[in-house]
Amino acid sequence: DQQVKQNSPSLSVQEGRISILNCDYTNSMFDYFLWYKKYPAEGPTFLISISSIKDKNEDGRFTVFLNKSAKHLSLHIVPSQPGDSAVYFCAASASYGNNRLAFGKGNQVVVIP
Amino acid sequence: EAGVAQSPRYKIIEKRQSVAFWCNPISGHATLYWYQQILGQGPKLLIQFQNNGVVDDSQLPKDRFSAERLKGVDSTLKIQPAKLEDSAVYLCASSLWTGGRDTQYFGPGTRLTVL
């Protein structure tokens, strides 16, 4: 049962433009959401997070938006850079869950110079 | 600060053989996680330790998988006997234990191929 869903497995975007990644979740107990970035042959690296008490969190070029009523979050990367080419995983956890993360399948982003 | 170390990086075995993976977490991190990532999927938690105690092993196939963290630092994950469907990347992660939202730091993973 996939509790965190990432559709559109791949995205190509021109350098300097905006990349938008979407994530949907089904478990209403999730109250903390994260994005991880993964390069080939490396482990995932934490990128940005958001608590359910917020609807937006920004860190430099990365912004995560949360729509609790729709059980939907998105990651915006502006402007996109070639080094952003990677797989991005959406993850979620619940307060009761011992910090256990449920991951989506990932989105491949390719930034074209 | 050194990151999470894992070895080996790659392993190829025949089905029904045994295999073990090793993980050394970031110094001072009380919590250690083992994840399985099958190709095309996101990581799935197998087991979570806090110090040397098991916090969550609900998704660990206990008939063939085992893990230990005897001294609350390094950990090993074992598969015995391996099946074809065990082919995956096995990721180790660690985090502090503050009682709140602790960032998990991942190692590079061990890619297992079962033939």
Side-chain angles (χ1 to χ4, degrees), chain B residues 27-105:
Chain B
S27 178
H29 281 193
T31 310
L32 185 147
Y33 314 79
W34 282 103
Y35 288 86
Q36 178 193 60
Q37 185 181 7
I38 292 172
L39 186 64
Q41 306 286 325
K44 182 184 85 170
L45 181 70
L46 293 175
I47 188 167
Q48 177 182 347
F49 293 94
Q50 183 178 342
N51 296 310
N52 59 351
V54 175
V55 173
D56 184 352
D57 64 356
S58 58
Q59 300 187 108
L60 185 74
K62 298 181 186 65
D63 58 334
R64 297 184 300 106
F65 286 65
S66 64
E68 60 183 12
R69 193 184 184 201
L70 291 176
K71 296 182 179 178
V73 181
D74 293 7
S75 177
T76 56
L77 176 69
K78 297 179 181 178
I79 308 175
Q80 180 179 7
K83 292 186 175 181
L84 296 176
E85 59 260 35
D86 298 332
S87 294
V89 175
Y90 290 85
L91 294 161
C92 179
S94 70
S95 68
L96 292 168
W97 183 256
T98 65
R101 303 298 190 180
D102 303 310
T103 299
Q104 296 185 29
Y105 297 87

Coordinates of all heavy atoms in Angstrom, one line a residue, chain B residues 27-105:
Chain B
S27 N 29.0 9.4 14.2 CA 29.4 9.4 15.7 C 28.4 10.2 16.5 O 28.0 11.3 16.2 CB 30.8 10.0 15.9 OG 31.1 10.0 17.2
G28 N 27.9 9.5 17.5 CA 26.9 10.2 18.4 C 25.5 10.0 18.1 O 24.6 10.4 18.8
H29 N 25.2 9.4 16.9 CA 23.8 9.2 16.5 C 23.3 7.9 17.2 O 23.8 6.8 17.0 CB 23.7 9.0 15.0 CG 23.8 10.3 14.3 ND1 23.4 10.5 13.0 CD2 24.0 11.6 14.7 CE1 23.5 11.7 12.6 NE2 23.9 12.4 13.7
A30 N 22.3 8.1 18.0 CA 21.7 6.9 18.8 C 20.8 6.0 17.9 O 20.7 4.9 18.2 CB 20.9 7.5 20.0
T31 N 20.2 6.6 16.9 CA 19.2 5.9 16.1 C 19.8 5.4 14.8 O 20.5 6.2 14.1 CB 18.0 6.7 15.8 OG1 17.6 7.3 17.1 CG2 16.9 5.9 15.3
L32 N 19.6 4.2 14.4 CA 20.1 3.6 13.2 C 19.0 2.9 12.5 O 18.2 2.2 13.1 CB 21.3 2.6 13.5 CG 22.0 2.0 12.3 CD1 23.5 1.8 12.7 CD2 21.4 0.7 11.8
Y33 N 19.0 3.1 11.2 CA 17.9 2.5 10.3 C 18.5 1.7 9.2 O 19.5 2.1 8.6 CB 17.1 3.6 9.7 CG 16.6 4.7 10.6 CD1 17.5 5.8 10.9 CD2 15.3 4.8 11.1 CE1 17.1 6.8 11.7 CE2 14.9 5.9 11.9 CZ 15.8 6.9 12.2 OH 15.4 7.9 13.0
W34 N 17.8 0.6 8.9 CA 18.2 -0.1 7.6 C 16.9 0.0 6.7 O 15.8 -0.3 7.1 CB 18.4 -1.6 7.9 CG 19.8 -1.9 8.5 CD1 20.1 -2.2 9.8 CD2 21.0 -2.0 7.7 NE1 21.5 -2.4 9.9 CE2 22.1 -2.3 8.6 CE3 21.4 -1.8 6.4 CZ2 23.4 -2.4 8.2 CZ3 22.7 -2.0 6.0 CH2 23.7 -2.3 6.9
Y35 N 17.2 0.4 5.5 CA 16.2 0.4 4.4 C 16.5 -0.5 3.3 O 17.7 -0.7 3.0 CB 16.1 1.9 3.9 CG 15.5 2.9 4.8 CD1 16.2 3.6 5.7 CD2 14.1 3.2 4.7 CE1 15.7 4.5 6.6 CE2 13.5 4.2 5.5 CZ 14.3 4.9 6.4 OH 13.8 5.8 7.3
Q36 N 15.5 -0.9 2.6 CA 15.6 -1.7 1.4 C 15.0 -0.8 0.2 O 13.9 -0.4 0.4 CB 14.9 -3.0 1.4 CG 14.9 -3.9 0.2 CD 14.0 -5.0 0.2 OE1 12.8 -4.8 0.3 NE2 14.5 -6.3 0.1
Q37 N 15.8 -0.6 -0.8 CA 15.3 0.1 -2.0 C 15.4 -0.7 -3.2 O 16.5 -1.0 -3.8 CB 16.1 1.4 -2.2 CG 15.4 2.3 -3.3 CD 16.2 3.6 -3.5 OE1 17.2 3.8 -3.0 NE2 15.6 4.4 -4.4
I38 N 14.2 -1.2 -3.6 CA 14.1 -2.0 -4.9 C 14.1 -1.0 -6.0 O 13.6 0.1 -5.9 CB 12.9 -2.9 -4.8 CG1 13.1 -4.0 -3.7 CG2 12.6 -3.5 -6.2 CD1 11.8 -4.8 -3.5
L39 N 14.7 -1.5 -7.1 CA 14.8 -0.6 -8.3 C 13.4 0.0 -8.7 O 12.4 -0.7 -8.8 CB 15.3 -1.4 -9.5 CG 15.6 -0.6 -10.8 CD1 16.8 0.4 -10.5 CD2 16.0 -1.6 -11.9
G40 N 13.4 1.3 -8.8 CA 12.1 2.0 -9.2 C 11.2 2.3 -8.1 O 10.1 2.9 -8.3
Q41 N 11.6 2.0 -6.9 CA 10.8 2.2 -5.7 C 11.6 3.2 -4.7 O 12.8 3.4 -4.9 CB 10.5 0.9 -4.9 CG 9.9 -0.2 -5.7 CD 8.5 0.1 -6.0 OE1 7.8 0.6 -5.2 NE2 8.0 -0.3 -7.2
G42 N 10.8 3.7 -3.8 CA 11.5 4.5 -2.7 C 12.0 3.5 -1.6 O 11.6 2.4 -1.6
P43 N 12.9 4.0 -0.8 CA 13.4 3.2 0.3 C 12.2 2.8 1.3 O 11.3 3.5 1.5 CB 14.3 4.1 1.1 CG 14.7 5.2 0.1 CD 13.5 5.4 -0.8
K44 N 12.3 1.5 1.7 CA 11.4 1.0 2.7 C 12.1 0.6 3.9 O 13.1 -0.2 3.9 CB 10.6 -0.2 2.1 CG 9.6 -0.8 3.0 CD 9.0 -2.1 2.4 CE 9.8 -3.3 2.8 NZ 9.1 -4.6 2.4
L45 N 11.6 1.0 5.1 CA 12.3 0.7 6.4 C 12.2 -0.7 6.7 O 11.1 -1.3 6.6 CB 11.6 1.5 7.5 CG 12.3 1.3 8.9 CD1 13.7 1.9 8.9 CD2 11.4 1.9 10.0
L46 N 13.3 -1.4 7.0 CA 13.3 -2.7 7.5 C 13.4 -2.8 9.0 O 12.6 -3.6 9.6 CB 14.5 -3.5 6.9 CG 14.5 -3.7 5.4 CD1 15.9 -4.3 5.0 CD2 13.4 -4.6 4.9
I47 N 14.3 -2.0 9.6 CA 14.4 -2.1 11.0 C 15.0 -0.8 11.5 O 15.8 -0.1 10.8 CB 15.3 -3.3 11.4 CG1 15.3 -3.5 12.9 CG2 16.7 -3.2 10.9 CD1 15.9 -4.9 13.4
Q48 N 14.6 -0.4 12.7 CA 15.1 0.8 13.4 C 15.6 0.4 14.8 O 14.9 -0.2 15.5 CB 14.0 1.8 13.5 CG 14.4 3.1 14.2 CD 13.2 4.1 14.3 OE1 12.2 3.9 13.7 NE2 13.4 5.1 15.1
F49 N 16.8 0.9 15.1 CA 17.4 0.7 16.4 C 17.5 2.0 17.1 O 17.8 3.1 16.5 CB 18.9 0.1 16.3 CG 19.0 -1.3 15.8 CD1 19.2 -1.5 14.4 CD2 18.9 -2.3 16.6 CE1 19.3 -2.8 13.9 CE2 19.0 -3.6 16.2 CZ 19.3 -3.9 14.8
Q50 N 17.3 2.0 18.4 CA 17.8 3.1 19.2 C 18.8 2.6 20.2 O 18.5 1.7 21.0 CB 16.6 3.8 20.0 CG 17.1 5.0 20.7 CD 16.0 5.7 21.5 OE1 14.8 5.6 21.2 NE2 16.4 6.6 22.4
N51 N 20.0 3.1 20.1 CA 21.2 2.5 20.7 C 21.2 1.0 20.3 O 21.2 0.7 19.1 CB 21.1 2.7 22.2 CG 21.2 4.2 22.6 OD1 22.1 4.9 22.1 ND2 20.3 4.7 23.4
N52 N 21.2 0.0 21.2 CA 21.2 -1.3 20.8 C 19.9 -2.1 20.9 O 19.8 -3.3 20.7 CB 22.3 -2.1 21.5 CG 22.1 -2.1 23.0 OD1 21.2 -1.4 23.5 ND2 22.8 -2.9 23.7
G53 N 18.8 -1.3 21.1 CA 17.5 -1.9 21.2 C 16.7 -1.7 19.9 O 16.8 -0.6 19.2
V54 N 15.8 -2.6 19.6 CA 15.0 -2.5 18.4 C 13.8 -1.7 18.7 O 13.0 -2.0 19.6 CB 14.6 -3.9 17.9 CG1 13.6 -3.8 16.7 CG2 15.8 -4.7 17.5
V55 N 13.5 -0.7 17.9 CA 12.4 0.2 18.0 C 11.2 -0.3 17.1 O 10.1 -0.3 17.5 CB 12.7 1.7 17.7 CG1 11.5 2.6 17.7 CG2 13.8 2.2 18.7
D56 N 11.6 -0.7 15.9 CA 10.6 -1.0 14.9 C 11.2 -2.0 13.9 O 12.2 -1.7 13.3 CB 10.1 0.2 14.1 CG 9.0 0.0 13.1 OD1 8.7 -1.2 12.9 OD2 8.5 0.9 12.6
D57 N 10.7 -3.2 13.9 CA 11.1 -4.2 12.9 C 9.9 -4.9 12.3 O 9.9 -6.0 11.8 CB 12.0 -5.3 13.5 CG 11.3 -6.1 14.6 OD1 10.1 -5.8 14.9 OD2 11.9 -7.1 15.1
S58 N 8.8 -4.1 12.2 CA 7.5 -4.6 11.7 C 7.6 -5.0 10.2 O 6.8 -5.8 9.8 CB 6.4 -3.6 11.9 OG 6.7 -2.4 11.3
Q59 N 8.5 -4.4 9.5 CA 8.6 -4.7 8.0 C 9.8 -5.5 7.7 O 10.1 -5.7 6.5 CB 8.6 -3.4 7.2 CG 7.3 -2.5 7.5 CD 7.3 -1.3 6.6 OE1 6.5 -1.3 5.7 NE2 8.1 -0.3 6.8
L60 N 10.4 -6.1 8.7 CA 11.6 -7.0 8.4 C 11.1 -8.4 8.2 O 10.4 -9.0 9.1 CB 12.5 -6.9 9.6 CG 13.8 -7.7 9.5 CD1 14.8 -7.0 8.6 CD2 14.5 -7.9 10.9
P61 N 11.4 -9.1 7.1 CA 11.1 -10.5 6.9 C 11.9 -11.4 7.8 O 13.0 -11.8 7.4 CB 11.4 -10.7 5.4 CG 11.6 -9.3 4.8 CD 12.1 -8.5 5.9
K62 N 11.4 -11.6 8.9 CA 12.2 -12.2 10.0 C 12.6 -13.7 9.7 O 13.4 -14.3 10.4 CB 11.5 -12.1 11.3 CG 11.3 -10.7 11.7 CD 10.6 -10.6 13.1 CE 10.2 -9.2 13.4 NZ 9.2 -8.6 12.5
D63 N 11.9 -14.3 8.7 CA 12.3 -15.7 8.4 C 13.6 -15.8 7.7 O 14.3 -16.8 7.8 CB 11.2 -16.4 7.5 CG 11.0 -15.6 6.2 OD1 11.2 -14.4 6.2 OD2 10.5 -16.2 5.3
R64 N 14.1 -14.7 7.1 CA 15.3 -14.7 6.4 C 16.3 -13.6 6.7 O 17.5 -13.6 6.5 CB 15.1 -14.8 4.9 CG 14.3 -16.0 4.5 CD 14.2 -16.1 2.9 NE 13.5 -14.9 2.4 CZ 14.0 -13.9 1.8 NH1 15.3 -13.9 1.6 NH2 13.3 -12.9 1.3
F65 N 15.7 -12.5 7.2 CA 16.5 -11.3 7.5 C 16.7 -11.2 9.1 O 15.8 -11.4 9.8 CB 15.8 -10.0 7.1 CG 15.8 -9.8 5.6 CD1 15.1 -10.6 4.7 CD2 16.4 -8.7 5.0 CE1 15.1 -10.4 3.4 CE2 16.4 -8.4 3.7 CZ 15.7 -9.3 2.8
S66 N 17.9 -10.8 9.4 CA 18.2 -10.5 10.8 C 19.2 -9.3 10.9 O 19.9 -9.0 9.9 CB 18.8 -11.7 11.5 OG 20.1 -12.0 11.0
A67 N 19.1 -8.6 12.0 CA 20.0 -7.4 12.1 C 20.4 -7.3 13.6 O 19.6 -7.7 14.5 CB 19.3 -6.1 11.7
E68 N 21.6 -6.8 13.9 CA 22.0 -6.5 15.2 C 22.8 -5.3 15.3 O 23.4 -4.8 14.4 CB 22.7 -7.8 15.8 CG 24.0 -8.1 15.0 CD 24.7 -9.3 15.5 OE1 24.1 -10.1 16.3 OE2 25.8 -9.6 15.2
R69 N 22.8 -4.7 16.5 CA 23.6 -3.6 16.8 C 24.1 -3.7 18.3 O 23.6 -3.1 19.2 CB 22.7 -2.3 16.7 CG 23.6 -1.0 16.7 CD 22.7 0.2 16.6 NE 23.5 1.4 16.5 CZ 23.1 2.6 16.8 NH1 21.8 2.8 17.2 NH2 23.9 3.7 16.7
L70 N 25.0 -4.6 18.4 CA 25.4 -5.1 19.8 C 25.9 -4.0 20.7 O 25.5 -4.0 21.9 CB 26.4 -6.2 19.6 CG 25.9 -7.5 19.0 CD1 27.0 -8.5 18.8 CD2 24.7 -8.1 19.8
K71 N 26.7 -3.2 20.3 CA 27.3 -2.2 21.2 C 26.7 -0.8 21.0 O 27.3 0.2 21.5 CB 28.8 -2.1 21.0 CG 29.5 -3.5 21.4 CD 31.0 -3.4 21.3 CE 31.6 -4.7 21.7 NZ 33.1 -4.6 21.5
G72 N 25.6 -0.7 20.3 CA 24.9 0.6 20.1 C 25.6 1.5 19.1 O 25.3 2.7 19.1
V73 N 26.6 0.9 18.3 CA 27.3 1.7 17.3 C 27.1 1.1 16.0 O 26.1 1.3 15.3 CB 28.7 1.9 17.7 CG1 29.4 2.8 16.6 CG2 28.9 2.5 19.1
D74 N 28.0 0.2 15.6 CA 28.0 -0.5 14.3 C 26.8 -1.4 14.2 O 26.3 -1.9 15.3 CB 29.2 -1.3 14.0 CG 30.4 -0.4 13.8 OD1 30.3 0.8 14.0 OD2 31.5 -1.0 13.5
S75 N 26.3 -1.7 13.0 CA 25.3 -2.7 12.8 C 25.5 -3.6 11.6 O 26.2 -3.2 10.7 CB 23.9 -1.9 12.6 OG 22.9 -2.8 12.4
T76 N 25.0 -4.8 11.7 CA 25.1 -5.7 10.6 C 23.6 -6.1 10.2 O 22.8 -6.3 11.1 CB 25.9 -6.9 10.8 OG1 25.4 -7.6 12.0 CG2 27.4 -6.5 11.0
L77 N 23.4 -6.3 8.9 CA 22.1 -6.8 8.4 C 22.5 -8.1 7.6 O 23.4 -8.1 6.8 CB 21.5 -5.8 7.5 CG 20.2 -6.2 6.8 CD1 19.0 -6.4 7.8 CD2 19.8 -5.2 5.7
K78 N 21.8 -9.2 7.9 CA 22.1 -10.4 7.3 C 20.8 -11.0 6.6 O 19.7 -10.8 7.1 CB 22.6 -11.5 8.3 CG 23.9 -11.1 9.0 CD 24.3 -12.1 10.0 CE 25.6 -11.7 10.8 NZ 25.9 -12.7 11.8
I79 N 21.1 -11.6 5.5 CA 20.0 -12.3 4.7 C 20.5 -13.8 4.6 O 21.6 -14.1 4.1 CB 19.8 -11.7 3.3 CG1 19.6 -10.2 3.4 CG2 18.6 -12.4 2.7 CD1 19.5 -9.5 2.1
Q80 N 19.6 -14.7 5.0 CA 20.0 -16.1 5.0 C 18.7 -16.9 5.0 O 18.0 -16.9 6.0 CB 20.8 -16.4 6.2 CG 21.3 -17.9 6.3 CD 22.1 -18.1 7.5 OE1 22.3 -17.3 8.4 NE2 22.7 -19.3 7.6
P81 N 18.4 -17.6 3.9 CA 19.0 -17.6 2.6 C 18.4 -16.5 1.7 O 17.3 -16.1 1.8 CB 18.7 -19.0 2.0 CG 17.3 -19.2 2.6 CD 17.3 -18.6 3.9
A82 N 19.2 -16.0 0.7 CA 18.8 -15.0 -0.2 C 17.8 -15.5 -1.2 O 18.0 -16.7 -1.7 CB 20.0 -14.3 -0.8
K83 N 16.9 -14.7 -1.7 CA 16.0 -15.0 -2.8 C 16.2 -14.0 -3.9 O 16.8 -12.9 -3.6 CB 14.5 -14.9 -2.3 CG 14.1 -16.0 -1.3 CD 12.6 -15.9 -1.1 CE 12.2 -17.1 -0.2 NZ 10.7 -17.1 0.1
L84 N 15.7 -14.3 -5.1 CA 15.9 -13.4 -6.2 C 15.3 -12.0 -5.9 O 15.9 -11.0 -6.3 CB 15.3 -14.0 -7.4 CG 15.8 -15.3 -8.0 CD1 15.0 -15.7 -9.2 CD2 17.3 -15.1 -8.4
E85 N 14.2 -12.0 -5.2 CA 13.5 -10.7 -4.9 C 14.2 -9.9 -3.9 O 13.8 -8.7 -3.6 CB 12.0 -11.0 -4.5 CG 11.9 -11.8 -3.3 CD 11.6 -13.2 -3.6 OE1 12.1 -13.8 -4.6 OE2 10.8 -13.9 -2.8
D86 N 15.3 -10.4 -3.3 CA 16.1 -9.6 -2.4 C 17.0 -8.6 -3.1 O 17.7 -7.8 -2.4 CB 16.9 -10.5 -1.4 CG 16.0 -11.3 -0.5 OD1 14.8 -10.9 -0.3 OD2 16.4 -12.4 -0.2
S87 N 17.1 -8.8 -4.4 CA 18.0 -7.9 -5.2 C 17.5 -6.4 -5.0 O 16.4 -6.1 -5.3 CB 18.0 -8.2 -6.6 OG 18.6 -9.5 -6.9
A88 N 18.4 -5.6 -4.4 CA 18.0 -4.2 -4.1 C 19.2 -3.5 -3.6 O 20.3 -4.1 -3.5 CB 17.0 -4.2 -3.0
V89 N 19.1 -2.2 -3.3 CA 20.1 -1.4 -2.6 C 19.7 -1.4 -1.1 O 18.5 -1.1 -0.8 CB 20.2 0.0 -3.1 CG1 21.2 0.8 -2.3 CG2 20.7 -0.1 -4.6
Y90 N 20.6 -1.7 -0.2 CA 20.3 -1.7 1.2 C 21.0 -0.5 1.8 O 22.2 -0.3 1.7 CB 20.8 -3.0 1.8 CG 19.9 -4.1 1.4 CD1 20.2 -4.8 0.2 CD2 18.8 -4.5 2.1 CE1 19.3 -5.8 -0.2 CE2 17.9 -5.5 1.7 CZ 18.2 -6.1 0.5 OH 17.3 -7.1 0.1
L91 N 20.2 0.4 2.3 CA 20.6 1.7 2.8 C 20.6 1.7 4.3 O 19.7 1.3 4.9 CB 19.7 2.8 2.3 CG 19.7 3.1 0.8 CD1 18.5 3.9 0.4 CD2 21.0 3.9 0.4
C92 N 21.7 2.2 4.9 CA 21.7 2.5 6.3 C 21.6 4.0 6.5 O 22.2 4.8 5.8 CB 23.1 1.9 6.9 SG 23.3 2.2 8.6
A93 N 20.9 4.4 7.6 CA 20.8 5.8 7.9 C 21.0 5.9 9.4 O 20.7 4.9 10.2 CB 19.5 6.3 7.5
S94 N 21.3 7.1 9.9 CA 21.4 7.3 11.3 C 20.9 8.7 11.6 O 20.8 9.6 10.8 CB 22.8 7.2 11.8 OG 23.7 8.2 11.4
S95 N 20.5 8.9 12.9 CA 20.0 10.2 13.3 C 20.2 10.3 14.8 O 20.4 9.4 15.5 CB 18.5 10.4 13.0 OG 17.7 9.5 13.8
L96 N 20.2 11.6 15.3 CA 20.3 11.8 16.7 C 18.9 11.4 17.3 O 18.0 11.1 16.5 CB 20.4 13.3 17.0 CG 21.8 13.9 16.6 CD1 21.7 15.5 16.6 CD2 22.9 13.5 17.5
W97 N 18.9 11.3 18.6 CA 17.6 11.0 19.2 C 17.2 12.2 20.1 O 17.7 12.2 21.2 CB 17.6 9.7 19.9 CG 16.2 9.4 20.5 CD1 15.8 9.5 21.8 CD2 15.1 8.9 19.7 NE1 14.5 9.1 21.9 CE2 14.0 8.8 20.7 CE3 14.8 8.6 18.4 CZ2 12.8 8.3 20.3 CZ3 13.6 8.2 18.0 CH2 12.5 8.1 19.0
T98 N 16.4 13.1 19.6 CA 16.0 14.3 20.4 C 14.6 14.2 20.9 O 14.1 15.0 21.6 CB 16.2 15.6 19.6 OG1 15.3 15.5 18.5 CG2 17.6 15.7 19.1
G99 N 13.9 13.1 20.4 CA 12.5 13.0 20.8 C 11.6 13.8 19.8 O 10.4 13.7 19.9
G100 N 12.2 14.5 18.9 CA 11.5 15.2 17.9 C 11.7 14.8 16.5 O 12.0 13.6 16.3
R101 N 11.8 15.7 15.5 CA 12.0 15.3 14.1 C 13.5 15.4 13.8 O 14.0 16.4 13.6 CB 11.2 16.3 13.3 CG 9.8 16.4 13.6 CD 9.1 15.1 13.3 NE 7.6 15.3 13.4 CZ 6.8 14.3 13.2 NH1 7.2 13.1 13.0 NH2 5.5 14.5 13.3
D102 N 14.1 14.2 13.8 CA 15.5 14.1 13.6 C 15.8 13.8 12.2 O 15.2 12.8 11.6 CB 16.1 13.0 14.5 CG 15.8 13.3 16.0 OD1 16.0 14.4 16.4 OD2 15.3 12.4 16.7
T103 N 16.6 14.6 11.6 CA 17.0 14.3 10.2 C 17.8 13.0 10.1 O 18.7 12.8 10.9 CB 17.9 15.5 9.7 OG1 17.1 16.7 9.7 CG2 18.3 15.2 8.2
Q104 N 17.4 12.2 9.1 CA 18.1 10.9 8.9 C 19.2 11.2 7.8 O 18.9 11.7 6.7 CB 17.1 9.9 8.4 CG 16.1 9.5 9.5 CD 15.2 8.4 9.1 OE1 15.5 7.5 8.3 NE2 13.9 8.4 9.6
Y105 N 20.4 10.7 8.1 CA 21.5 10.8 7.2 C 21.8 9.4 6.7 O 22.0 8.5 7.4 CB 22.7 11.4 7.9 CG 22.5 12.8 8.4 CD1 21.9 13.0 9.7 CD2 22.8 13.9 7.7 CE1 21.7 14.3 10.1 CE2 22.6 15.2 8.1 CZ 22.1 15.4 9.4 OH 21.8 16.7 9.8

